[in-house]
């Protein structure tokens, strides 16, 4: 049965003001870019073709339309190899116009955190991500109940206030 969940591109393309992304896992699915990094391959940041993707186009287009795109990552320290790689490639997200922050998990004890990663678009709709234990994506869900959106948006803002800007966060 085809999914009735709008894809990320559609939701970001319709966003008018904001798109926020919360990531809370220490390991996500593997991919060829991560595996290349594990082998010691590094990006030549002066060669945009090595790192720019359609995702970066979508983010840059949204930012150009006036959408404020923010990403907060809650991470365990010392970080996993996957998170170290994400920190390395976040330079591309920032170049596309995302504002990214990192929050060490040890600094979240007094925060109520949502159970899933998500995107919130214009503080009206959540696209939740559900993962298997190994980091593979299982499904996406849409939530537009105002109470649920407000709870997740409020949690994101509390995390954001505490989180460390990308250019100041050092991998441990």
């Amino acid at each position: 049965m085809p999914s009735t969940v709008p894809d990320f591109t559609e939701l970001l393309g319709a966003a008018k003001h904001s798109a926020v992304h919360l990531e809370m896992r220490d390991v996500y699915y593997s991919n060829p870019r991560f595996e290349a990094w594990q082998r010691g391959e590094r990006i030549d940041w002066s060669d945009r073709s090595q790192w720019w993707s359609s995702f970066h186009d979508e983010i840059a287009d949204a930012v150009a339309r006036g959408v404020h795109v923010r990403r907060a990552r809650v991470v365990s320290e010392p970080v996993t190899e996957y998170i170290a790689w994400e920190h390395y490639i976040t330079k591309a997200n920032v170049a596309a116009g995302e504002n990214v922050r990192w929050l060490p998990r040890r600094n979240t004890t007094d925060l109520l955190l949502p159970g899933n990663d998500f995107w919130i678009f214009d503080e009206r709709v959540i696209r939740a991500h559900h993962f298997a234990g190994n980091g593979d994506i299982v499904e996406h869900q849409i939530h537009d109940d105002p109470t649920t959106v407000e709870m997740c948006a409020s949690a994101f803002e509390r995390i954001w206030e505490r989180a460390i800007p990308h250019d100041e966060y050092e991998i441990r």
Side-chain angles (χ1 to χ4, degrees):
M1 175 191 303
S3 173
T4 58
V5 175
D7 68 17
F8 171 80
T9 300
E10 180 182 341
L11 291 165
L12 183 62
K16 305 230 183 297
H17 309 289
S18 65
V20 300
H21 189 191
L22 179 61
E23 295 180 357
M24 297 183 296
R25 295 182 54 88
D26 290 318
V27 176
Y28 291 87
Y29 54 89
S30 191
N31 63 62
R33 294 183 335 157
F34 173 53
E35 292 160 5
W37 183 84
Q38 287 178 302
R39 290 189 303 270
E41 296 176 28
R42 296 299 180 257
I43 294 170
D44 175 358
W45 291 104
S46 68
D47 180 1
R48 187 173 157 148
S49 69
Q50 284 192 19
W51 53 273
W52 195 265
S53 70
S54 59
F55 171 80
H56 299 112
D57 281 331
E58 293 168 7
I59 295 297
D61 290 348
V63 170
R65 289 193 325 268
V67 177
H68 189 205
V69 182
R70 297 181 293 158
R71 179 185 306 252
R73 291 181 170 135
V74 176
V75 296
S76 300
E77 291 178 326
V79 300
T80 63
E81 190 174 25
Y82 194 95
I83 294 301
W85 171 71
E86 279 196 331
H87 188 270
Y88 172 73
I89 64 166
T90 294
K91 181 174 183 171
N93 297 66
V94 172
E98 273 194 54
N99 193 344
V100 180
R101 292 187 182 181
W102 303 79
L103 182 60
R105 195 173 310 281
R106 71 177 180 280
N107 296 336
T108 66
T109 302
D110 61 337
L111 298 178
L112 293 177
L113 302 177
N116 300 296
D117 290 12
F118 58 72
W119 279 90
I120 302 176
F121 301 93
D122 290 336
E123 297 182 357
R124 63 175 183 75
V125 64
I126 299 169
R127 186 171 196 262
H129 306 258
H130 301 283
F131 295 92
N134 67 356
D136 289 343
I137 191 75
V138 174
E139 72 173 337
H140 295 100
Q141 291 178 333
I142 292 293
H143 300 276
D144 59 4
D145 169 67
T147 302
T148 302
V149 172
E150 169 55 31
M151 283 188 322
C152 289
S154 178
F156 179 89
E157 292 305 327
R158 285 189 308 277
I159 291 164
W160 187 259
E161 289 170 6
R162 239 178 239 193
I164 302 162
H166 175 70
D167 60 351
E168 296 174 22
Y169 181 68
E170 295 181 20
I171 291 295
R172 297 185 207 206

